[in-house]
Structure formats: C-alpha cells, structure tokens
Amino acid sequence: MKKFMTLCMATAFSCSVIAAEPAVSETVGLVVAGGKPITLLGKQVYVGDQAPNFKVVNDRFSPVTLNDFANKTILISVVPSLDTGVCSLQTKRFNEEVANLPEDVAILTISNDLPFAQKRFCSTEGVESLKVLSDSVWRDFGAKYGLIIKDMGLLSRAIFVIDNTGKIAYKELVADISTHPDYDTALNAVKEANSLLTK
C-alpha cells in the first residue's frame, strides 16, 4: 500500500510538472517546404526587438553565446543542413563575403547539423572565414528565434542582422525553404548597421 501511495504521489508530481511547462509557440503560414506550409516552433522575433541571447556549440562542443559577440555587428545565416545544395552555397557565399566587410563584423552560420558534420563540411569546402555553429545540443537558438521546423528538427532558412546594441536590425525568414535568401539586401543591412556604429 505504501509503495502504491508513493507511486501515485510521484505520478501526480510528474504530471503537475508537465502541466506547468509553458506551451511551445507555433507559427504556421510563414514558410513552405515542397509547396506545403510548415509549422515553426518557438517564439518569432522582429526587427527592433532586443535579440535574445542563445547558446550553441562550436566544432569542439564548446558553448558559444550571442553575448560572446557583444558590441559587434552580427550577421546570422541560418540553414536547415549544410549537406544540401542551397545551404552549402549560402554558407560558401557568406564565407566569401567576410573579406568585403569590416573586421568588427561577425558572420555566423547556424544549423542543427552535428558539430562533426559541420567540421567535415568546413574542411572539405574551405569554409574558414566565418563561424559555423550547431544548435543540435539544446535547440536554444531555434526556440528563441522561432525557427524549429515541427516534426523535422531542422532550422528554417533565415537571415538576421544584429546591431552593436544587440537589437535586430534586419530579418529575412525565407518564404520557401528551398530557395536562396536575398544576399544583397542582407549584406547592405550589415553595412548600414555597421556604419551607424562607426559614426
């Protein structure tokens, strides 16, 4: 009887913990994949918002946060998987653009690929001018920026520019996950945000 009561209390406690967890935000209708709308999990952020801090990992599984790039202009290139055509080209394009930007601009590529896969990709493709980071451990970035594709666990394609005050200066949530982002507009947004820093 005592064991039964203990089991009941444990079950009730676990149920109350589950019930207390906040519901995950869902957004539908912003992005399509294969012509079909997909559901994004997490909270959407907008231009003018203070960019939420997040924790991802590098190729050595060491934590990296947004705060590590404080007082810099930051471009975040988000891709579903580096091992797909558009994602590969997107990452290599921004890797090339680093040379055309001031040294105080940080460019990050974030995906849910495992760090091992990211390291292999960077080595094979010669990607060494930007930081490639993984959200595969905690899904913290995807949740805070509303980018986790429901039932797939991948991140939706997007671009963010964050100014030196930590505010989101530019956002493109690419409407069709299979298409490229608007590179030129994103890069111009980086230069504009960085020029405000130097004034």
Side-chain angles (χ1 to χ4, degrees):
M1 182 68 178
K2 189 175 181 181
K3 287 184 178 179
F4 176 74
M5 290 297 294
T6 302
L7 179 62
C8 288
M9 290 175 65
T11 303
F13 176 74
S14 64
C15 289
S16 67
V17 170
I18 292 170
E21 289 181 358
V24 176
S25 299
E26 295 189 359
T27 307
V28 184
L30 297 180
V31 179
V32 299
K36 297 180 180 179
I38 59 176
T39 299
L40 299 179
L41 303 179
K43 185 179 180 182
Q44 292 296 312
V45 295
Y46 302 95
V47 171
D49 288 353
Q50 196 70 24
N53 191 30
F54 57 80
K55 185 167 67 170
V56 291
V57 294
N58 62 19
D59 61 0
R60 297 179 303 280
F61 280 89
S62 298
V64 177
T65 70
L66 179 63
N67 288 342
D68 293 335
F69 305 95
N71 302 317
K72 289 190 173 187
T73 302
I74 306 158
L75 184 147
I76 302 177
S77 170
V78 188
V79 298
S81 177
L82 292 170
D83 285 321
T84 59
V86 176
C87 298
S88 174
L89 291 171
Q90 179 176 328
T91 303
K92 288 187 283 187
R93 168 69 186 272
F94 282 122
N95 184 65
E96 293 169 359
E97 292 291 347
V98 171
N100 302 321
L101 297 171
E103 290 184 3
D104 55 354
V105 172
I107 297 187
L108 318 177
T109 287
I110 301 179
S111 74
N112 276 351
D113 295 303
L114 290 173
F116 309 116
Q118 292 184 337
K119 187 174 183 178
R120 174 190 47 75
F121 171 85
C122 291
S123 176
T124 302
E125 301 295 340
V127 172
E128 54 188 22
S129 298
L130 51 74
K131 293 187 180 297
V132 178
L133 304 166
S134 174
D135 196 34
S136 64
V137 177
W138 302 290
R139 301 291 201 269
D140 188 50
F141 171 75
K144 289 179 177 176
Y145 285 71
L147 297 176
I148 301 173
I149 302 173
K150 187 176 182 179
D151 299 326
M152 291 180 69
L154 302 175
L155 297 177
S156 193
R157 193 180 312 282
I159 304 288
F160 298 93
V161 174
I162 300 171
D163 68 22
N164 72 306
T165 69
K167 288 189 176 180
I168 298 173
Y170 174 83
K171 172 186 176 180
E172 180 188 6
L173 183 58
V174 181
D176 186 333
I177 197 172
S178 66
T179 61
H180 288 270
D182 186 340
Y183 297 109
D184 291 339
T185 302
L187 291 165
N188 284 336
V190 170
K191 293 171 183 175
E192 182 176 343
N194 197 64
S195 69
L196 295 175
L197 170 62
T198 56
K199 285 182 179 178

